[in-house]
Amino acid sequence: MNAPQWRSTRIAPARTPDGRATRVVLGLAAADGGHLVAIRVGDGEPAHLARQGALELLASVREVIAEQDRLDGGGFR
């Protein structure tokens, strides 16, 4: 089975809990008749999300960042 082709990728540098450098890749993966949102951490397997799942993930990220701001006073630590 061929790996799906990725389009419109965005790469964010990240760190593992033990401090090693990694990356989070977000993009579109070709699927039957269209594209699915795909997210992958490091060299792991990508997770494909339907449009609704991607929108729910976006809303959850915003909620988590708001909670971080509330707990830590804003900003990355």
Side-chain angles (χ1 to χ4, degrees), residues 13-69:
R15 296 260 172 214
T16 63
D18 64 0
R20 290 179 291 135
T22 190
R23 66 189 183 281
V24 176
V25 181
L26 178 68
L28 298 173
D32 293 335
H35 294 84
L36 293 172
V37 173
I39 188 168
R40 180 179 71 220
V41 176
D43 295 325
E45 289 290 318
H48 295 163
L49 297 106
R51 183 177 178 81
Q52 185 60 38
L55 292 170
E56 291 173 11
L57 178 62
L58 177 61
S60 296
V61 167
R62 288 181 173 150
E63 290 173 6
V64 168
I65 290 172
E67 181 72 3
Q68 179 189 28
D69 288 348

